[in-house]
Amino acid sequence: METVFNKVRKSAPKAALLMAVAAGAMLQGCSSTESSEAAALVSGVAGDAASKVYVAPGQHDELYTFMSGGFSGQVAVYGVPSGRLLKVVPVFSQNPENGYGYNEETKAMLNTSFGFVPWDDLHHPKLSRAAGMTDGRWLFVNANNTPRVARLDLKTFETAEILEIPNSAGNHCSPYPTNDNEYVLAGTRFSVPINVEGDGKYEDVNFDEYKEKFRGSISFIKVDKEHGDMDLDFQILVPGFDYDLANGGKGPSSDWVFFTTYNTEQANTLKEIGASQNDKDYLAAINWKLAVKYAKEGKAKEMPAYYYHNKLDEKSHIAKSEIKKTVRILRPEDCPGLMYLIPVPKSPHGIDVDPTGEYMVVSGKLASVIPVHSFSKMLKTIEKKDFIGNVGGIPILRYESVLQGEVKEPGLGPLHTEFDDKGNAYSSMFVSSEIVKWTLKDLQVKDRIPVYYSVGHLVIPGGDTKKPYGKYLIAMNKITKDRYLPTGPELAQSAQLIDISGEKMKLLLDFPTIGEPHYAQAIEAKKIAPNSVKMYSLEENSHPYAAKNEKEARVERKGNEVHVYMTAIRSHLTPDNIEGINVGDEVYFHVTNLEQDWDVPHGFAIMGNNNAELLVMPGATQTLKWVPQRAGIIPMYCTDFCSALHQEMQGYIKVSPKGSKVPLAFSTGAKKPKA
Ligand SMILES: [Cu+2]
């Protein structure tokens, strides 16, 4: 078998090869000071870079960038061009900074059919869309490990909803919104055993039954037009390949969505070799509009399933979990015209559709060319039935008939492509650590710029929409080596900002990121900033344990449960002295922030509590659960610096031994009620 390196050596241009070797050498030899100086010298920063990324104090950035945190399970929000970190939004991970997943209100967000799962691997943020353009309303993100899709509300920058995906594993090929946000699509990375004829599940399956019993699934999540609420409408059961990435059509191809697949060999072990046997894998083309029509016409079969749907209520701020017990399944073999397979180089990774909707760019991580397929040729090939075979009744189209052309010698290890507003495409090259610019018109390479190092995804603001914003490109790199001050074996993760407004690309800025910067979406600030919520209305707070003024503050006992209706305002808590609590009681502090002022949260923490603190937004109520372990006087205080007298925002709880009969009493200043 020809090795990748040999193949590349034959086909890659000398320059790219030299660059790859140089980057490799730098990676290996970067422990020396000399090589880090050398790296700085060749970093190629544009002379006017500083002025292009400088956002003066008090000024706002031009764009928001939502970057996945990979294994951190969070989304980080950066301003661009400054690269300033604005916020970390916890999605699939507990977060002590704001108590997400620790307070009683948000714990339900992390419920799954596997129990409470307070972590996941978040890869792809995708902004909601209207008419093929990002609209700034919501951000959808995937969880790879315990398959889930979440929706963030961009008015509040909070996770509003998390939907578990059944019949899926490694939910990587996810989430992809259609052009008017009708659906968000999610494909399984690992095919899993699905008993199509029976009740959905097999009791016992052997690994070598992969070909007979394992199937892939593509989930169709319906999105409510007004509120964004998600609902798993149906799934398409597809051949048992691995589904990697997806991208939706645009303009003429709006009704279609495309998925890259690997392991079309259906190997169940040592996939490194087993999944690279076939010369070509497939791009799966699915007519999603037709799928919806088939599902509506009753072609979908209902099958048992078990998955969670968790939603945060806007007014009470309380998350509720709902367990779903069925899913509707559509099979391509029952639905003519629903799905086609287009050959692509083996082990493809990214699929990206250009702004016109005519070209599907498929990058193969082991390929030495980038094939560009034509949508109109695809339709003609289907019409002429120019097929070379089928997989389980799904036609395979002839490669040459669908192909528009190949980008020759693009570089080593092409992964992902995004587009500007001038007909140019930009592809990331993982192995040769560079971004390569080429044109859709003639598929010729026009420019290349090194990145540091091993770039995965890249993003251009609006670069996956009908009309890209252009101007900037952000490279999300897997390795940083000598780019920052060393911090032990683990170095800062990194993104790089590149100016793409001219003929030549210019490197402007390195900025460190939270977790792995896997993929990102960027959007003009004006599409989000004016809609930002400044505070929650205290009047509309429907939390059942809210205390909307200090008079309502109180402490109530129900058996061994004690509920403290507490208020917080600059600069005191009410009540701030509590007694009558015993060791082993379950104490719930329901803290309502009485402020109706922007940017004044209050925090709340209790000494020794086995939990994070709360961070309560103005007008909202949150609950900290505490089970006191020892008798004595226990301090509590506000953790978020809120005023000149923030340090005085504190109090005491008297804890008596288990079984004590000390009556409940609470006060702020004067004792009430009298004990
Ligand atoms: Cu405070």
Side-chain angles (χ1 to χ4, degrees):
M1 196 177 66
E2 193 177 28
T3 64
V4 178
F5 187 74
N6 279 336
K7 197 177 237 177
V8 155
R9 205 167 52 175
K10 275 189 231 155
S11 60
K14 264 192 191 136
L17 194 61
L18 280 174
M19 222 175 301
V21 174
M26 238 167 351
L27 294 185
Q28 279 149 26
C30 69
S31 55
S32 79
T33 327
E34 278 155 36
S35 66
S36 66
E37 278 164 6
L41 279 176
V42 299
S43 68
V45 178
D48 54 351
S51 65
K52 290 203 164 176
V53 301
Y54 183 67
V55 178
Q59 299 292 305
H60 291 177
D61 275 292
E62 188 178 336
L63 300 148
Y64 284 101
T65 298
F66 297 92
M67 207 170 274
S68 78
F71 45 76
S72 83
Q74 301 166 328
V75 169
V77 187
Y78 299 86
V80 160
S82 73
R84 297 190 287 211
L85 174 65
L86 304 176
K87 193 179 177 80
V88 174
V89 184
V91 187
F92 300 113
S93 294
Q94 285 179 301
N95 185 29
E97 187 182 5
N98 56 6
Y100 177 84
Y102 290 98
N103 65 52
E104 297 307 301
E105 286 76 8
T106 53
K107 278 180 183 171
M109 292 300 278
L110 302 172
N111 283 340
T112 76
S113 63
F114 298 90
F116 182 69
V117 179
W119 170 81
D120 219 304
D121 181 22
L122 187 159
H123 274 204
H124 308 121
K126 279 278 181 179
L127 289 157
S128 57
R129 287 157 184 248
M133 301 294 290
T134 55
D135 63 3
R137 299 179 77 191
W138 307 300
L139 185 78
F140 299 94
V141 296
N142 68 322
N144 274 324
N145 188 41
T146 304
R148 289 174 276 181
V149 170
R151 176 174 61 89
L152 276 62
D153 186 335
L154 298 182
K155 289 197 304 289
T156 58
F157 285 65
E158 280 183 355
T159 305
E161 188 179 3
I162 296 181
L163 177 69
E164 193 178 356
I165 311 290
N167 296 322
S168 178
N171 174 42
H172 187 263
C173 190
S174 162
Y176 294 89
T178 54
N179 287 309
D180 275 297
N181 224 53
E182 300 98 328
Y183 283 90
V184 165
L185 306 178
T188 186
R189 170 178 162 192
F190 298 92
S191 281
V192 289
I194 301 171
N195 188 350
V196 187
E197 304 306 331
D199 63 356
K201 293 273 171 272
Y202 288 105
E203 285 296 306
D204 192 15
V205 176
N206 293 318
F207 298 134
D208 58 13
E209 293 176 292
Y210 190 107
K211 282 185 184 164
E212 302 88 74
K213 294 186 173 172
F214 287 52
R215 296 290 294 256
S217 70
I218 308 283
S219 299
F220 278 61
I221 302 165
K222 208 174 168 71
V223 180
D224 178 81
K225 279 234 173 297
E226 205 179 325
H227 298 106
D229 297 56
M230 302 187 291
D231 185 31
L232 180 53
D233 192 9
F234 62 93
Q235 295 184 312
I236 304 180
L237 277 198
V238 286
F241 309 153
D242 290 54
Y243 294 78
D244 198 6
L245 281 169
N247 215 296
K250 302 171 183 80
S253 57
S254 288
D255 294 358
W256 292 76
V257 64
F258 306 94
F259 301 85
T260 48
T261 68
Y262 61 99
N263 191 29
T264 50
E265 298 82 356
Q266 299 185 280
N268 63 288
T269 183
L270 198 63
K271 289 203 177 178
E272 186 185 0
I273 295 166
S276 303
Q277 301 297 311
N278 293 346
D279 185 45
K280 296 249 188 316
D281 283 308
Y282 302 119
L283 183 67
I286 290 180
N287 186 328
W288 71 265
K289 279 252 173 87
L290 193 56
V292 173
K293 185 165 168 277
Y294 278 127
K296 271 202 186 120
E297 284 169 357
K299 286 253 183 189
K301 177 193 168 193
E302 197 161 286
M303 244 172 44
Y306 184 74
Y307 60 100
Y308 271 70
H309 189 186
N310 312 318
K311 276 191 204 180
L312 193 68
D313 181 86
E314 267 180 54
K315 299 280 165 65
S316 68
H317 265 93
I318 296 175
K320 285 208 178 82
S321 294
E322 190 189 345
I323 297 169
K324 304 278 201 161
K325 298 208 164 143
T326 61
V327 65
R328 295 196 302 152
I329 297 281
L330 211 57
R331 294 197 290 177
E333 48 266 53
D334 305 333
C335 305
L338 177 78
M339 180 173 178
Y340 298 93
L341 299 171
I342 304 168
V344 291
K346 68 168 78 175
S347 300
H349 198 49
I351 152 70
D352 298 285
V353 182
D354 87 302
T356 68
E358 167 60 14
Y359 301 115
M360 295 95 80
V361 178
V362 189
S363 298
K365 37 193 198 262
L366 304 179
S368 51
V369 297
I370 303 177
V372 178
H373 285 303
S374 151
F375 178 71
S376 49
K377 286 187 175 183
M378 179 191 103
L379 290 186
K380 275 189 207 126
T381 307
I382 293 170
E383 204 185 317
K384 282 197 227 145
K385 294 197 163 57
D386 187 4
F387 306 145
I388 57 164
N390 74 83
V391 176
I394 302 163
I396 306 170
L397 310 189
R398 185 180 303 282
Y399 177 75
E400 295 77 12
S401 303
V402 184
L403 188 72
Q404 176 68 23
E406 291 170 339
V407 182
K408 306 271 194 233
E409 304 182 342
L412 310 184
L415 289 189
H416 302 284
T417 301
E418 291 217 345
F419 308 90
D420 70 8
D421 50 344
K422 302 181 193 82
N424 298 307
Y426 300 77
S427 300
S428 57
M429 302 291 154
F430 180 78
V431 178
S432 55
S433 290
E434 58 182 332
I435 305 290
V436 173
K437 174 180 175 179
W438 51 276
T439 56
L440 286 156
K441 200 174 76 192
D442 56 14
L443 310 185
Q444 296 296 310
V445 171
K446 300 291 171 188
D447 190 23
R448 48 180 82 237
I449 187 170
V451 289
Y452 307 93
Y453 307 94
S454 302
V455 57
H457 276 277
L458 50 80
V459 65
I460 291 173
D464 59 345
T465 67
K466 274 165 80 171
K467 202 167 172 285
Y469 183 80
K471 195 163 176 182
Y472 300 110
L473 180 153
I474 300 168
M476 284 155 274
N477 307 332
K478 303 299 177 197
I479 293 170
T480 54
K481 294 286 186 187
D482 47 10
R483 300 295 290 181
Y484 300 110
L485 282 174
T487 49
E490 195 206 359
L491 300 171
Q493 303 270 327
S494 177
Q496 290 188 302
L497 185 69
I498 294 166
D499 178 356
I500 55 164
S501 59
E503 289 276 299
K504 291 272 169 200
M505 292 179 275
K506 289 182 193 169
L507 178 60
L508 299 179
L509 182 73
D510 283 14
F511 60 100
T513 63
I514 300 275
E516 184 211 356
H518 192 90
Y519 180 55
Q521 290 262 274
I523 183 170
E524 300 99 294
K526 64 171 190 244
K527 283 190 180 175
I528 292 181
N531 305 322
S532 191
V533 166
K534 292 189 166 69
M535 72 207 73
Y536 298 106
S537 158
L538 192 58
E539 222 165 82
E540 287 178 19
N541 178 337
S542 64
H543 194 294
Y545 290 95
K548 296 195 189 182
N549 56 59
E550 293 193 354
K551 283 192 199 113
E552 292 179 13
R554 63 194 185 276
V555 183
E556 290 174 356
R557 178 180 281 284
K558 285 181 200 157
N560 78 327
E561 260 183 35
V562 178
H563 292 269
V564 181
Y565 295 70
M566 180 175 272
T567 62
I569 197 161
R570 284 165 286 184
S571 300
H572 62 273
L573 299 163
T574 301
D576 68 1
N577 278 202
I578 301 170
E579 59 189 83
I581 286 173
N582 295 342
V583 169
D585 279 345
E586 268 182 23
V587 190
Y588 294 89
F589 289 88
H590 309 287
V591 182
T592 302
N593 181 344
L594 297 180
E595 309 279 355
Q596 290 288 270
D597 189 1
W598 196 15
D599 200 21
V600 190
H602 288 294
F604 183 71
I606 297 172
M607 187 177 84
N609 192 23
N610 306 146
N611 205 344
E613 47 95 62
L614 298 180
L615 188 66
V616 194
M617 296 305 123
T621 304
Q622 284 194 356
T623 303
L624 188 75
K625 185 183 174 182
W626 176 53
V627 181
Q629 297 167 3
R630 48 178 101 146
I633 298 293
I634 307 290
M636 59 185 178
Y637 69 102
C638 169
T639 51
D640 191 49
F641 212 106
C642 55
S643 70
L645 295 175
H646 160 74
Q647 203 68 358
E648 284 76 6
M649 197 165 170
Q650 63 184 55
Y652 290 110
I653 307 155
K654 178 178 164 155
V655 180
S656 304
K658 210 175 181 120
S660 300
K661 296 279 183 254
V662 179
L664 277 185
F666 52 91
S667 60
T668 306
K671 215 172 187 180
K672 56 166 195 172
K674 252 190 144 166

